[in-house]
Every structure is written in C-alpha cells, then in structure tokens.
Amino acid sequence: MLYGRGQVDGTPAVAFATDVTRMGGALGLAGCRRIVTAIDTAVRDRVPVAGLWHSGGARLAEGVVALDGAGQVFAAMVRASGRVPQISAVLGPALGSAAYGPALTDIVIASRAGRVLATGDAPSGPADDTPSGPAGAAGSEVVHLTAATDAEALARTREMVLLLGRQGRLSPDDVTLGSRGGGSPDALLPSGPDLPYDVKPLILALLDAAGTELHADWAPNIVTVLGRFAGRTVGVVANNPLVLDGSLDAGAAEKAARFVRMCDALAVPLIVLADTPGYLPGPGHDGDGVVRRGAKLLHAFADAVVPRVTLVTRRAYGGSYIAMNSRALGATAVFAWPTAEVAALTPEAAVNVLHRKRLAATPPARRAHLRDQLATHESAQTGGIDRAVEIGVVDAVIPPTHTRRRIALALAAAPAGRGAHGSIPL
C-alpha cells in the first residue's frame, strides 16, 4: 500500500494506491492503516484525496484482523465524507472489502479493466464492448465515470481533483449575454412544446466549457453534470426530455438526490434546469419505490444550503415541479422563460379530471375538438407563468438571452453555504 502528498496542476492533494504486485493488492492491517493515515492527512490539510484501487479484498491469511483493518478504512472515509472531496479510480478488480472503499467515496472512475464486485471472482474478460461497461454487478449506479484505459482514468481523476479541490470564484461581470456559443439558448429547444430534445447541448451552452456528466448510463431521463460556470465549479441537474419525456421516476429521483447531497456537502452551487411533465405514471413505478426514492430528492433539495438556482425552460408540472428545486424547497431563485408553464397537471390531464362529465356527454365526433378548446383555456388560466410570478414561486420571467447573466448574479448574491453532513451514497 502506497500513499503520498503532492499537487495536481498546483492544487494540493493526497493519493494512495493498492499495490497489485504484492499479494494481488489484498488489504492487510498495515496497508489499511496507511490508507487511514492518507485520508486523515487529507482531512487535516483540507485537500482532496484520491485512491487507486486494484485489490482482491481482505488478506485471507490475516482473517478477522484484515477485516478489522478494512473497517477502519471505511470509518475514516465516513469521517472524511463532506469534509474533503474523495475520488476513487478503479484500475482493476476491486473485490469484497475493496469494493466498498470506492463505493463510499464521492466520485468513482473505472478503467476498462475496472470491476466493483462485493463477492466472487472478477470476470477474466474485458469489461464490456463499450467504455461504459466497467462496474461489475452494481452497474453504473456505483461508477460515475468510465474510461477506456488506465491513463484516461487517471486523467479523469485529476480532472475531478481540480473541479472539486480548486472550485474558483464566481465572476458575474465576465458573463456575456446569450449562450456560451453565441445566440439565444432557447434556439436549442424544438418548436413544439411536447417534442423531445436532448438537454445536454443546452447545458453545454450555459457552462463556461464542456462539463463532466456523472452516471450517464443510470437513469438518463435526468442529467447530472459537474462543470464551471462564471469561473466557478457548479453542479447542474437537468430533466432530459429525450428520455421518458423528462419524467421523474425512482431511479432519476435517487440519482439526482445523491448528486445534490454531494454538491451540498462539498459547497458546490447548483443550477437546475426544469422541463418535466411530472412523475412517470403507472403501478409498476410505484413498485420501484418512486415515493420513497422521490422523497430523497425532496429531502436533498430542502436540506441543501448551497446557492441553487432553478430555470424552468418549458414546463414543470405536479410533484416534479416541487422536486426540481422549487421555491418551496428553498431555491435561491427560480427563473422561467416566457413560454414556460407551471401547473398542477398538464392542461390535457387537467381537462380529463375537471371536465370528465362534460366530455362524456359530448358526442364522440365533437369530443376531441372540445378537449382541445378546454386544454387551451386551462393552459391560459392555470398553466401560464403569470400566476406563479404573482404569488412569488417564480422570481422573474427572463429573456433566454439573459439566462447566463441572471443565474450568475443570483448565485453571486446568495451567501455561501456548505451542508453540515456527509455525502452518503444514496
């Protein structure tokens, strides 16, 4: 087991590594104590700590002594959680006790040979035919980022150390109007209000440069990105209408909650892009624990103290409107584009509930026309943005070209905050 102190492009950090050339990198008591020392050193110096993992787990010859050492590592990681960024690079199989070390850290990066498996032997073949394969049985819910090679995994580890260890200062005066690439960011949305589109180009247009998407293969109906905005590291949470129309389901709620919790623990401000028709309907999704896991997202946002700004781009309906960092949950500011809608239900769904008897009494030939008329009226009455502004749940309707500057000013005006909690892997 090796560890040391140094710098990543001028940013101080601590690193440790299992030594696969000695007993397959198995964790013995002495090696575990070195990892604990590395983590405690990072906490003392308030710097990121990066661990490089390739280990068969606890040393069998040491028995319970090795298991106790692994437990001491886990306890040190929990003590450090939320106090300093913890990044893991899995460069080979991380089995048994060695699987839980990376899983307790903030960011897990796996190379093509990486495996995170609680039990059993590591597969002998390649991780997958694509770079998104590493993770083992737990899949992409454990691994945030994947890499085709060890060198790429180490480069991504350095990137995360810099993003989380040198967060920078917010400079609203340097933010120009329009999107980063020029022009109005709403040009990236389709012409129809219900047409699907990929939210990732919009995120790219708002950030200073391309950010890093985490958990890209897990619950892709919501996107979580770390990047820089107005010179500062931020986290972005965005519904993605390209997948499930941007609806929230159990997986998306849990993924977003975990990300929000981590950002709050590490003092990373949040930008939330809301474009969602609601929670995904159906009894099958209730069976997936959408209420319990959806509550995690509500709790994560309501408990967060970092500055966090929401932008409603097209629509935010029902419970998912609340869950996407609404004013009620303590958002620093909520902005909306002029064509955005905020309501309890989509206009069509509201008509089916409120005018069910009238629709049933209408001849079938005229029913569709009446439903469209009622939906238009419903949208004007309750689905527009004016009422939301009137009662203060939306702070302002802003021109899309002013989006970057208004978000930057809102974040800069908010007091800095950092959650007094760890970053539990939800």
Side-chain angles (χ1 to χ4, degrees):
M1 195 70 60
L2 309 170
Y3 82 94
R5 301 167 62 190
Q7 293 187 343
V8 176
D9 292 344
T11 297
V14 171
F16 64 84
T18 59
D19 186 357
V20 73
T21 65
R22 302 186 63 181
M23 302 182 67
L27 302 174
L29 179 61
C32 288
R33 286 178 172 171
R34 291 191 187 98
I35 295 178
V36 170
T37 299
I39 296 169
D40 289 345
T41 299
V43 173
R44 184 195 66 204
D45 295 347
R46 307 295 291 178
V47 300
V49 55
L52 311 182
W53 293 89
H54 185 168
S55 170
R59 289 188 179 180
L60 296 179
E62 293 188 24
V64 71
V65 174
L67 293 177
D68 181 66
Q72 292 178 35
V73 170
F74 302 156
M77 289 175 163
V78 173
R79 288 196 303 272
S81 182
R83 301 178 68 183
V84 296
Q86 299 184 80
I87 299 108
S88 293
V90 182
L91 306 179
L95 309 178
S97 299
Y100 290 98
L104 283 168
T105 59
D106 300 307
I107 304 290
V108 181
I109 302 158
S111 73
R112 194 172 191 82
R115 293 291 190 282
V116 181
L117 298 169
T119 59
D121 296 327
S124 58
D128 201 339
D129 290 335
T130 65
S132 62
S140 56
E141 294 181 27
V142 172
V143 175
H144 297 76
L145 293 166
T146 59
T149 64
D150 287 357
E152 184 184 341
L154 295 177
R156 287 191 160 224
T157 302
R158 292 167 60 88
E159 177 188 347
M160 290 297 104
V161 168
L162 290 172
L163 273 174
L164 296 175
R166 190 170 70 200
Q167 296 190 19
R169 297 176 61 86
L170 197 70
S171 302
D173 291 340
D174 296 333
V175 174
T176 57
L177 295 179
S179 63
R180 181 175 62 86
S184 182
D186 65 329
L188 297 168
L189 273 59
S191 57
D194 299 318
L195 295 176
Y197 69 94
D198 191 351
V199 76
K200 295 176 188 179
L202 176 56
I203 297 173
L204 176 62
L206 293 178
L207 294 177
D208 296 345
T212 300
E213 183 181 358
L214 305 182
H215 281 139
D217 297 323
W218 175 29
N221 44 320
I222 203 155
V223 178
T224 51
V225 173
L226 280 176
R228 293 196 186 273
F229 175 81
R232 200 203 190 288
T233 298
V234 298
V236 179
V237 180
N239 304 114
N240 193 359
L242 188 66
V243 182
L244 300 178
D245 198 28
S247 298
L248 288 177
D249 59 3
E254 189 163 272
K255 170 182 169 179
R258 177 175 180 176
F259 182 75
V260 169
R261 195 80 172 161
M262 180 193 74
C263 288
D264 189 52
L266 298 178
V268 176
L270 288 158
I271 297 172
V272 181
L273 303 180
D275 186 350
T276 173
Y279 276 91
L280 202 62
H285 300 290
D286 290 332
D288 288 339
V290 68
V291 174
R292 175 178 59 84
R293 295 159 82 182
K296 294 179 184 181
L297 183 55
L298 293 171
H299 190 286
F301 271 129
D303 192 47
V305 297
V306 292
R308 44 198 168 95
V309 174
T310 295
L311 171 69
V312 183
T313 58
R314 285 200 310 181
R315 69 253 155 99
Y317 295 127
S320 59
Y321 149 72
I322 302 173
M324 291 299 289
N325 192 43
S326 63
R327 255 302 188 184
L329 298 186
T332 300
V334 178
F335 299 126
W337 285 347
T339 56
E341 293 184 350
V342 175
L345 289 172
T346 66
E348 294 76 16
V351 165
N352 289 336
V353 173
L354 298 174
H355 303 282
R356 177 174 54 86
K357 292 182 178 180
R358 183 178 175 184
L359 287 170
T362 301
R366 297 175 50 199
R367 193 173 297 159
H369 178 68
L370 176 61
R371 182 181 282 109
D372 290 343
Q373 283 185 320
L374 292 172
T376 300
H377 177 76
E378 190 67 29
S379 178
Q381 290 293 109
T382 62
I385 209 69
D386 292 343
R387 180 60 175 159
V389 173
E390 180 183 339
I391 65 174
V393 298
V394 169
D395 293 277
V397 176
I398 62 173
T401 53
H402 291 196
T403 300
R404 272 174 47 87
R405 183 156 181 79
R406 290 298 296 267
I407 292 176
L409 290 172
L411 290 175
R418 183 173 192 150
H421 56 76
S423 179
I424 187 171
L426 292 175

